[in-house]
Amino acid sequence: GVCGLMMLGAAMGLAGQAAQIAQAPGKVPYVSWIGAHSAIQESRYARVRDQKDWDKLWVEHTGQPAPAGVPAGPEVDFGRCAVVACFRGKSKNSNGERVTAIDDLHDAVRIRFDSASYQTMSLQPGAEDRGVDCVPFGIWLIERTGKQVIVEENVQGVIGAPPVWREQKRFPAGR
């Protein structure tokens, strides 16, 4: 889509963050940034619909000051796109939050995501596994909508088991 192509250059240049380019707009985000190290330390969700709020969130997320004379975050066509973000807060053993599906329902857009988590263990006999500290995040560029946006997380914890979806955030309808 148009939004994804605009973001390609910005997404490819981000050090320490994974950028994924969507193959099928409407089923996954146009662009996703996922990673294990956000400067946002508390758990929260955000929906952004203009460049000013996006720049503010980007500066907070990266912990870097805004450059002079240019947008702080990647430029987004907010006439066509919106940003939805999940900041996990302090956690263990995760490489970020990745969208598994975006569904256009009758009165809402539903975003389903799963943590890109992994398992660790201590190799020392009797030693405790403390995991790997992280502050994971997922930032997703989606098609702009006037519908409410529902964010659901897969909370099942068994490898290979079917997903168990739990609503984490509901953003009200409105442009």
Side-chain angles (χ1 to χ4, degrees), residues 1-5 21-31 81 102-104 141-143:
V2 172
C3 299
L5 292 175
I21 306 303
Q23 295 296 314
K27 297 187 180 181
V28 295
Y30 292 122
V31 177
C81 299
I102 298 176
D103 300 307
D104 191 359
L141 184 69
I142 66 170
E143 184 176 358

Side-chain angles (χ1 to χ4, degrees), residues 29-52:
Y30 292 122
V31 177
S32 293
W33 293 273
I34 65 171
H37 303 289
S38 177
I40 297 176
Q41 301 288 305
E42 70 282 350
S43 179
R44 76 175 204 234
Y45 294 83
R47 180 182 188 182
V48 181
R49 294 182 268 193
D50 64 57
Q51 191 70 41
K52 180 181 173 191

Side-chain angles (χ1 to χ4, degrees), residues 21-172:
I21 306 303
Q23 295 296 314
K27 297 187 180 181
V28 295
Y30 292 122
V31 177
S32 293
W33 293 273
I34 65 171
H37 303 289
S38 177
I40 297 176
Q41 301 288 305
E42 70 282 350
S43 179
R44 76 175 204 234
Y45 294 83
R47 180 182 188 182
V48 181
R49 294 182 268 193
D50 64 57
Q51 191 70 41
K52 180 181 173 191
D53 288 344
W54 174 229
D55 287 345
K56 181 179 174 187
L57 183 66
W58 189 262
V59 166
E60 188 179 2
H61 159 64
T62 62
Q64 301 295 316
V70 297
E75 289 185 71
V76 173
D77 179 351
F78 282 103
R80 297 181 180 173
C81 299
V83 172
V84 176
C86 167
F87 298 97
R88 175 69 62 192
K90 294 179 182 177
S91 188
K92 301 276 186 188
N93 296 7
S94 177
N95 285 323
E97 313 303 333
R98 65 174 181 244
V99 169
T100 60
I102 298 176
D103 300 307
D104 191 359
L105 308 175
H106 175 69
D107 64 344
V109 171
R110 180 179 61 206
I111 299 173
R112 288 184 161 173
F113 77 95
D114 202 352
S115 184
S117 59
Y118 53 90
Q119 185 175 356
T120 57
M121 64 179 259
S122 173
L123 297 176
Q124 299 296 325
E128 179 183 351
D129 174 28
R130 298 177 192 263
V132 177
D133 292 331
C134 57
V135 189
F137 67 92
I139 302 172
W140 314 307
L141 184 69
I142 66 170
E143 184 176 358
R144 186 177 183 95
T145 181
K147 297 179 180 182
Q148 65 180 328
V149 176
I150 302 167
V151 181
E152 294 181 350
E153 179 180 11
N154 178 11
V155 296
Q156 70 84 12
V158 179
I159 294 173
V164 175
W165 299 106
R166 180 177 301 146
E167 184 175 316
Q168 299 296 337
K169 181 68 178 178
R170 184 177 292 247
F171 295 100

